[in-house]
Structure formats: structure tokens, C-alpha cells
Amino acid sequence: MNNGGHSTTGLLAGVATTMALAPPAGVEPTVPLLLTGGLVAAGAALLPDIDHEGSTITRSGGALTALLAGGIQSASRFAYRATRTRHDLPGDGAHRYLTHTPVAALTVGLVVGLAQQLTHWVIVGVLLLCLTASVRSLSYALPRGVRRVTLAHRRLWSAGYAIVLTVALVHTGATEGMGWPLGAVVAVGMLVHVAGDAVTEFGVPLAWPVRLRCPSRACRRATRSRRRRRCPGRRWHRLHLLPRRLRFRSGSQVEKVVQAVSLLGTGGLLLAVGLTG
């Protein structure tokens, strides 16, 4: 998926997740709280692409996010080289590898959930990072005329909007209800990205670090005959969530429909909470 598809599906998933986790967290699911969770998840849905130097999330924070992206790309390459088997397809180990696994999403969510208990500034930092990326990405889902007026698709303007939104959300107390659900919202946003890429033609390594059985008939025959070393399987094999006929390309018309449905679903949830609240 493109960044517009990732951010809109993340927005919907974030609102739904915040709505579900608000009662267990002991807070009322208000519209500002749900909007906060939605925007965080929309930005978190772009986080897996920090393994690519030209992505929205990498360029959103200038030199800071570029430096972070470089470190994550190095970690991804190291993980690929350390865990790949001889039957994994050759690759650079950077884009659509480590950060595009469910393990990475759950780990980042757990770290954020634990870190926010140490200081409230973790929430502020996550808001700034995610909102800067989500504002810029979501702007591309708006009509072109609106985008020209707001200029939210430009990096400096999106950063300015993110700062204003963060200050407003913190000042109004909308972030007080996040707490530990913040980690879950970040994890859900990243998982939505992984799932979004898994329904396209490219696929992602969903099973890592589990070794999958090699589909090669030659490997199976050799394993049964024990004439050769046992097939090592593949850890970085790219899997899909849809049959081949239903997969689509990034930027296709199907993705635009997904964006529209996600925005309508988000608006419907916020409207329902606003009317019942």
C-alpha cells in the first residue's frame, strides 16, 4: 500500500482500538480521546516504512528521523544476515524485512507501553512523531483543493500542525486517558501496515523468525531420502493474506476504495460517540 492507504486504515483501527480499550483503562471514550488514538495509529501505520530512506515517516522529522531510520535499517540488515537460511531469497535486508513483521510491531508497542509509565514526555514524543507523519499522509486523502489551502502535505507545515495538535491535546487533557493503551494503539497501527502490505502483490515476512517449510519438491525428496542435509526452510519468505487473484498493486483503484471506506468508518465511529456522549 501507499502511505495514504496505510494512514487511513491506521486511523480507523486506532479509533476502534481506543474505543475498545478505554473502559478497561478506566476512562470515558470521548471524541478527543478517540481522535488522539486514531491519529497516533495513523502515524504508527507509517512506522514500518522507516526502513526506507524516501518514506514519509523517514522525512517527517528531518535529520532526527533520518538518523533513526539509518539505525533501524542497519538493525534490519543485521537481523536478516543473522537469521536468514541458505534457501531465503537474496535481498538487502532493509525495506520490508524486520520492521514489516508482527514481532517488530508487538515489540515496539510493548516498549512504548512500558516507557510511558516512566514519564509523560514519552506520550508527547510519540504524539509529535506520529502526528507529524499522519497529518502529512492523511492530507493526500483529502481533495486537492483542500490540500492546497492547508499545505499540510508540506513537511514544515505538517510539523507545525503536529505541534499545535499535540499542545492542544495535552492542554485539553485528551492524552490523560491514553496511558498503557498508547502501546497497544502503536502496535495496532504497525500491524495494520503489515497487513496492508500482505494483501498486495509483494507480501511481507509474516512468519519471521519461525522457519517455514521449503515448498521445493527437490528439498522434500532430498529430506526423505536423507542423501543431503535437511532443508533449512525459510524465515524471510514473503507471505500474503489474500489469494493471488485478489491481491492488488500499491496505488490501485482498490486502495482508493479502501481509503474512502476507512475515512467513512472513522467518521461514523466519531459521530456515534459524539451523539451518544
Side-chain angles (χ1 to χ4, degrees), residues 249 251-258:
R249 295 182 179 180
S252 64
Q253 292 298 322
V254 176
E255 188 170 338
K256 294 181 180 180
V257 173
V258 172

Side-chain angles (χ1 to χ4, degrees), residues 31 40 83 98 106-107 112 115 191 193 214 240 260:
V31 172
V40 168
T83 61
L98 182 61
L106 296 176
T107 301
V112 171
L191 287 172
H193 181 115
C214 185
H240 302 82

Side-chain angles (χ1 to χ4, degrees), residues 41-174:
L46 302 174
L47 278 177
D49 277 343
I50 202 170
D51 59 6
H52 190 280
E53 60 274 3
S55 65
T56 298
I57 187 69
T58 299
R59 296 181 296 176
S60 62
L64 181 62
T65 50
L67 181 63
L68 179 62
I72 292 176
Q73 290 169 17
S74 298
S76 181
R77 293 189 181 97
F78 174 80
Y80 173 71
R81 290 193 297 265
T83 61
R84 72 182 295 257
T85 70
R86 66 178 186 273
H87 285 178
D88 277 314
L89 296 177
D92 61 358
H95 186 46
R96 286 192 175 179
Y97 282 90
L98 182 61
T99 59
H100 285 68
T101 63
V103 172
L106 296 176
T107 301
V108 172
L110 179 62
V111 170
V112 171
L114 294 176
Q116 62 82 28
Q117 297 183 5
L118 301 177
T119 172
H120 186 71
W121 288 105
V122 171
I123 298 179
V124 176
V126 171
L127 279 174
L128 283 173
L129 175 63
C130 292
L131 264 62
T132 301
S134 62
V135 167
R136 186 180 184 188
S137 181
L138 289 171
S139 68
Y140 287 100
L142 300 174
R144 185 174 300 178
V146 177
R147 193 162 62 245
R148 288 178 178 176
V149 173
T150 60
L151 300 177
H153 61 291
R154 296 186 178 181
R155 189 174 66 186
L156 292 179
W157 281 86
S158 62
Y161 283 127
I163 293 173
V164 172
L165 282 172
T166 299
V167 172
L169 292 173
V170 172
H171 181 71
T172 57

